[in-house]
């Protein structure tokens, strides 16, 4: 009963970490965030044309949301909204559908032409169109499931190895030290994974966008 | 939390509604609490004032450090601990649970 409202507050919590700039020269927190956002947006939007660059706000807020949510999930006892498939599907399906529909509206022939790669032998064409359609419809599912599975698997590994370290401490301290080293390395990996997953999600959305603008 | 504080305290006193909490006498406390603004707009205003009070003191300074956000993250960890306490109770090291 109390679960749903608290989850909503926890999902909105990362937004507090990003204050909006009010002046020309801001405090250190905002300056660091501004620098990172400019760095990422320049790199991510360099491949798009004029039309694709209208998606800049969407892509940057996406990468900030996923990155901050994943990183906050590494704190002890915290709840990570991106482990829930429902949230990831809710992010992936509308974004993917937006790119596909943009493509169909503005460049109908080119979008349909994506279904058939160049230079295929004539007998293979029907099968290849079916395969391309399936691969198109799998894109949002893959986006959502990739993010869910990676973050969930990372959290699960941390829980299990941490529990193993605690259990082994009474039995054999040396094995516990080894397990603890594994835990430290895993946590470093999880920090990287948190950021990388955000990046991958956003990059793929931007690629789908590039194909369709 | 209007901060209208009279300059001439000796000549006339501030009305109860506009006193700050530390100026309210103990006997006046229940009536002070009842006079507070509990509408959604009032509660939102209270959250906004609290947020800006913390932000301007610890983050929005010329040479802010890591303390500003780490206090927020520590409070977040404690909040989540309270949230999970029911399940964590069973994982304590006790002979009889």
């Amino acid at each position: 009963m109390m679960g749903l409202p608290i989850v909503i507050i926890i999902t909105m919590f990362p937004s507090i970490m990003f204050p909006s700039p009010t002046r020309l020269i801001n405090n250190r927190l905002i300056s660091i965030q501004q620098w990172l956002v400019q760095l990422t947006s320049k790199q991510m939007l360099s491949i798009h044309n004029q039309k694709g660059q209208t998606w800049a706000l969407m892509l940057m807020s996406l990468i900030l949301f996923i990155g901050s949510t994943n990183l906050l999930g590494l704190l002890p006892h915290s709840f990570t909204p991106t482990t829930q498939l429902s949230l990831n599907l809710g992010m992936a399906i509308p974004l993917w559908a937006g790119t596909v529909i943009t493509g169909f509206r503005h460049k109908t022939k080119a979008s349909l032409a994506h279904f058939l790669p160049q230079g295929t032998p004539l007998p293979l064409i029907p099968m290849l169109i079916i395969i391309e359609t399936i691969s198109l419809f799998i894109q949002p599912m893959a986006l959502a499931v990739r993010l869910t599975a990676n973050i969930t698997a990372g959290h699960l590994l941390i829980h299990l190895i941490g529990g193993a370290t605690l259990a082994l401490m009474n039995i054999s301290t040396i094995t516990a030290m080894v397990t603890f080293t594994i835990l430290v390395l895993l946590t470093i990996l999880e920090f990287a994974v948190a950021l990388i997953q955000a990046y991958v999600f956003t990059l793929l959305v931007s690629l789908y966008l590039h194909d369709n603008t | 939390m209007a901060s209208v504080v009279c300059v001439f305290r000796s000549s006339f006193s501030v009305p109860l509604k506009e006193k700050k909490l530390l100026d309210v006498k103990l006997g006046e406390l229940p009536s002070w609490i009842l006079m507070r603004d509990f509408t959604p707009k009032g509660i939102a205003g209270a959250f906004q004032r609290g947020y800006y009070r913390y932000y301007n003191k610890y983050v929005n300074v010329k040479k802010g450090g890591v303390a500003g956000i780490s206090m927020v993250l520590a409070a977040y960890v404690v909040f989540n601990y309270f949230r999970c306490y029911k399940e964590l109770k069973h994982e304590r090291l006790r002979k009889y649970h």
Side-chain angles (χ1 to χ4, degrees):
Chain A
M1 189 196 75
M2 285 304 290
L4 191 54
I6 299 186
V7 159
I8 295 177
I9 296 177
I10 293 180
T11 311
M12 295 196 304
F13 178 72
S15 61
I16 296 183
M17 300 282 118
F18 299 111
S20 43
T22 45
R23 304 165 155 193
L24 188 61
I25 299 188
N26 299 290
N27 56 53
R28 289 180 173 180
L29 183 70
I30 296 182
S31 307
I32 293 177
Q33 286 169 0
Q34 258 181 336
W35 171 72
L36 282 172
V37 165
Q38 274 172 355
L39 187 72
T40 320
S41 58
K42 279 187 183 160
Q43 205 243 341
M44 193 155 289
L45 296 168
S46 54
I47 55 174
H48 291 133
N49 54 11
Q50 184 83 344
K51 187 150 184 56
Q53 280 178 354
T54 52
W55 279 59
L57 180 63
M58 185 73 232
L59 293 174
M60 290 324 296
S61 12
L62 192 67
I63 195 172
L64 281 177
F65 174 68
I66 302 181
S68 62
T69 317
N70 293 347
L71 282 174
L72 279 174
L74 290 171
L75 292 170
H77 306 307
S78 54
F79 172 73
T80 324
T82 42
T83 53
Q84 309 300 317
L85 186 63
S86 48
L87 187 127
N88 295 336
L89 277 174
M91 285 196 294
I93 293 186
L95 287 168
W96 166 83
T99 62
V100 166
I101 291 177
T102 316
F104 272 122
R105 273 178 69 188
H106 296 279
K107 289 166 53 170
T108 320
K109 270 194 302 187
S111 304
L112 286 172
H114 281 318
F115 284 123
L116 195 62
Q118 268 181 336
T120 59
L122 210 53
L124 279 176
I125 289 182
M127 204 178 62
L128 211 57
I129 292 188
I130 296 179
I131 292 180
E132 289 286 328
T133 315
I134 294 177
S135 92
L136 182 72
F137 280 100
I138 260 197
Q139 280 175 349
M141 302 295 144
L143 273 177
V145 174
R146 181 186 303 114
L147 186 57
T148 314
N150 269 298
I151 307 297
T152 315
H155 286 351
L156 190 65
L157 272 175
I158 289 182
H159 277 153
L160 291 174
I161 297 191
T165 315
L166 273 176
L168 281 173
M169 263 203 307
N170 293 328
I171 302 176
S172 146
T173 320
I174 305 230
T175 322
M177 299 297 268
V178 172
T179 322
F180 185 69
T181 321
I182 299 180
L183 185 64
V184 169
L185 293 173
L186 194 61
T187 312
I188 296 176
L189 174 66
E190 283 313 308
F191 272 99
V193 166
L195 297 170
I196 289 172
Q197 283 305 313
Y199 173 66
V200 165
F201 196 102
T202 315
L203 188 65
L204 285 173
V205 168
S206 95
L207 273 177
Y208 301 153
L209 186 66
H210 184 62
D211 277 345
N212 285 316
T213 47
Chain B
M1 201 192 84
S3 46
V4 171
V5 178
C6 275
V7 178
F8 311 105
R9 288 182 82 120
S10 53
S11 44
F12 54 94
S13 58
V14 184
L16 178 61
K17 192 172 195 301
E18 294 165 351
K19 278 191 190 171
K20 290 190 185 184
L21 180 58
L22 290 175
D23 292 332
V24 170
K25 304 218 183 317
L26 204 57
E28 294 172 341
L29 195 60
S31 45
W32 183 85
I33 290 179
L34 288 173
M35 279 200 210
R36 299 295 289 149
D37 189 9
F38 286 116
T39 64
K41 184 172 171 218
I43 294 184
F47 274 113
Q48 199 177 30
R49 283 193 304 268
Y51 171 77
Y52 277 113
R53 205 167 132 188
Y54 181 86
Y55 180 67
N56 286 325
K57 183 166 181 194
Y58 288 108
V59 181
N60 202 10
V61 291
K62 214 174 189 177
K63 294 175 94 173
V66 68
I69 40 167
S70 30
M71 279 198 279
V72 180
L73 294 179
Y76 182 64
V77 170
V78 171
F79 170 72
N80 281 312
Y81 183 78
F82 281 149
R83 194 179 48 87
C84 305
Y85 183 68
K86 234 181 194 173
E87 284 92 23
L88 290 172
K89 218 172 28 173
H90 302 291
E91 291 172 23
R92 291 187 285 201
L93 287 176
R94 296 268 189 279
K95 194 174 168 195
Y96 303 109
H97 275 233

